[in-house]
Every structure is written in C-alpha cells, then in structure tokens.
C-alpha cells in the first residue's frame, strides 16, 4: 500500500492594529492611497516595496500584504505571489501598490508591463485588479485613472 501525503494551507494573521481611517471601503484611488499611507507610510521608505490590498465583494479591505521589498529603484514581483495572497484572503478584487523612493510616482515601462501581466492572470482567476497605486513624495499615481489597466478585455473585432 502506498502512502499519500495530505496537505492543508492555513493563513496566520501576523499582526493587527487600530488605524483611524474614515472607512475600510475602497471606492476610489484616493481611498486606496489613504489606506496604504496610513498603514504602511510608504512615502518615507528608502527602498521599493510592492504589495496588495485584498478586497471582498463589497470592496472592503480584507487584508494588506507587502509581497516584496526591493532596492532603491526596483522590486521583483511575480503574479504567483500576488494571487497566492489574494486567494488566501478569499479576495474578489485587489489593488496593487508600490512606492518610488525617487519621489516621482510616474509609472515606468516595467511597472506597466508587470501590471498588465497581473491583470491578465487576474482575469483568468476571476480576481479583478482594480488599480495599481504608485506613491512617491506625498503624491500618488493611479494606473486605472491613467487608463493603463487593460482588465483582460479583448479589443473589439473590426
């Protein structure tokens, strides 16, 4: 008789805190940025940090995950890490975020490229990527507001 290994996955909450937010609901990029800054204070980080807000079906924050810590001007991230955290939180949607220690929140070509890959993966997994917020020097850029999110929809046929 052969032995079969049985595995289970459990999520452990690392810490919790009281944050004085008007709401934990994300209704706009400004709401997402306020939550990110209140909880993580990314504008004062010396290195890039990439993470996600996981949202339930009503866009209420279920969790905040810092997924990667990089260098002064780069951070490596893979869709696998993004969706592992989203699935563990039973997320209906996510907001990506990272900081630019240079202070300029303008998305780089690499930012746009990885965001598109994550959006495509989310489309397949039916977890919507609502936005990618880039912060820097007290400002932020919403890639959704800039029209830089292609939510997995194909171009109409001509």
């Amino acid at each position: 008789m052969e032995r079969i290994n049985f595995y289970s996955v459990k999520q452990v909450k690392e810490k919790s805190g009281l944050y004085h937010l008007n709401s934990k609901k994300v209704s706009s990029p400004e709401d997402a940025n306020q939550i990110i800054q209140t909880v993580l204070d990314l504008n004062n980080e010396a290195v890039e940090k990439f993470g996600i807000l996981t949202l339930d079906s009503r866009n209420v924050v279920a969790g905040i995950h810092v997924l990667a810590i990089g260098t002064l001007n780069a951070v490596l991230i893979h869709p696998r890490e993004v969706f592992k955290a989203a699935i563990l939180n039973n997320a209906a949607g996510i907001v990506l975020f990272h900081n630019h220690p240079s202070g300029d929140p303008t998305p780089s070509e690499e930012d746009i490229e990885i965001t598109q890959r994550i959006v495509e993966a989310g489309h397949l997994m039916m977890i919507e990527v609502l936005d990618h917020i880039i912060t820097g020097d007290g400002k932020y850029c919403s890639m959704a507001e800039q029209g830089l999110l292609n939510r997995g929809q194909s171009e109409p046929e001509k």
Side-chain angles (χ1 to χ4, degrees):
M1 181 177 274
E2 288 190 44
R3 186 173 288 266
I4 296 175
N5 295 325
F6 177 77
Y7 298 94
S8 65
V9 177
K10 295 181 182 176
Q11 184 172 357
V12 177
K13 186 187 303 182
E14 289 185 33
K15 65 180 180 175
S16 160
L18 296 175
Y19 300 101
H20 299 288
L21 300 172
N22 294 334
S23 170
K24 283 179 44 178
K25 183 171 184 167
V26 176
S27 301
S28 68
E30 187 174 337
D31 292 344
N33 184 59
Q34 180 187 10
I35 292 167
I36 294 161
Q37 292 309 324
T38 301
V39 176
L40 298 172
D41 192 24
L42 286 183
N43 285 330
N44 291 313
E45 291 289 341
V47 296
E48 284 197 21
K49 290 187 175 183
F50 184 98
I52 62 171
L53 297 177
T54 58
L55 308 173
D56 69 13
S57 59
R58 295 169 291 132
N59 285 356
V60 173
V61 176
I64 299 174
H65 301 264
V66 174
L67 303 174
I69 299 173
T71 64
L72 177 65
N73 61 358
V75 64
L76 294 176
I77 192 67
H78 191 279
R80 174 178 42 247
E81 286 85 25
V82 171
F83 289 102
K84 182 187 329 178
I87 290 167
L88 287 172
N89 264 167
N90 206 24
I94 59 174
V95 174
L96 311 173
F97 64 83
H98 81 279
N99 63 314
H100 281 175
S102 69
D104 180 3
T106 304
S108 67
E109 285 300 317
E110 293 82 8
D111 294 338
I112 295 167
E113 189 176 300
I114 188 62
T115 300
Q116 293 305 322
R117 286 182 38 209
I118 293 169
V119 168
E120 289 169 12
H123 182 70
L124 291 172
M125 300 186 75
M126 297 193 314
I127 299 174
E128 187 175 7
V129 177
L130 300 169
D131 206 341
H132 185 162
I133 303 291
I134 303 173
T135 68
D137 203 20
K139 303 173 282 198
Y140 73 92
C141 174
S142 160
M143 289 180 67
E145 284 184 338
Q146 299 294 316
L148 298 173
L149 289 187
N150 174 355
R151 299 190 186 196
Q153 296 130 356
S154 58
E155 294 291 318
E157 291 186 26
K158 296 182 180 179

